[in-house]
Amino acid sequence: MGRGANGLAGVLYGDFVASDGNGGTVTRRMQTGTVTAVSASSITAKSADGHATTFAVTSSTTVGGGGAIGDVKVGDTVTVVGTLSGEAATATTITDSTLNQANGGGQQGGQPPATN
């Protein structure tokens, strides 16, 4: 019964522990929802149940869907995955479903992006 990424379909938000790729672990936060604020230094997404998370954006943050942070707009549908340090979340990946569809793609089944 391998569920893989399909086991995360429909997840709105949450924290999880993942491998850091070097034998250790890292705590990550995921938020799926509508962008309510975005700038070169932060992004806030709000899920359907009203929960919102703000992530810092750095030069290491990648934007899927064929764009950059400047292409992400208020009202876009995104899945943001980031790392936690205390309660501060820093975005590592932003998957913008709205941008992806505009560029001729389409995120399959609402699945969140793969994390490293």
Side-chain angles (χ1 to χ4, degrees):
M1 289 191 127
R3 293 185 184 185
N6 289 330
L8 295 177
V11 173
L12 299 178
Y13 55 88
D15 296 346
F16 57 96
V17 177
S19 170
D20 68 1
N22 296 312
T25 60
V26 61
T27 302
R28 298 193 184 273
R29 178 164 290 166
M30 183 180 86
Q31 175 78 44
T32 298
T34 303
V35 176
T36 59
V38 63
S39 71
S41 61
S42 69
I43 184 168
T44 302
K46 183 176 180 181
S47 58
D49 69 349
H51 179 84
T53 302
T54 299
F55 293 82
V57 172
T58 69
S59 60
S60 298
T61 302
T62 60
V63 178
I69 192 64
D71 298 320
V72 179
K73 306 294 182 215
V74 169
D76 284 4
T77 300
V78 296
T79 297
V80 184
V81 177
T83 57
L84 282 180
S85 177
E87 282 300 310
T90 301
T92 53
T93 60
I94 301 168
T95 302
D96 187 327
S97 298
T98 305
L99 183 60
N100 194 20
Q101 289 173 357
N103 289 337
Q107 189 174 359
Q108 299 297 313
Q111 296 173 7
T115 58
N116 298 355

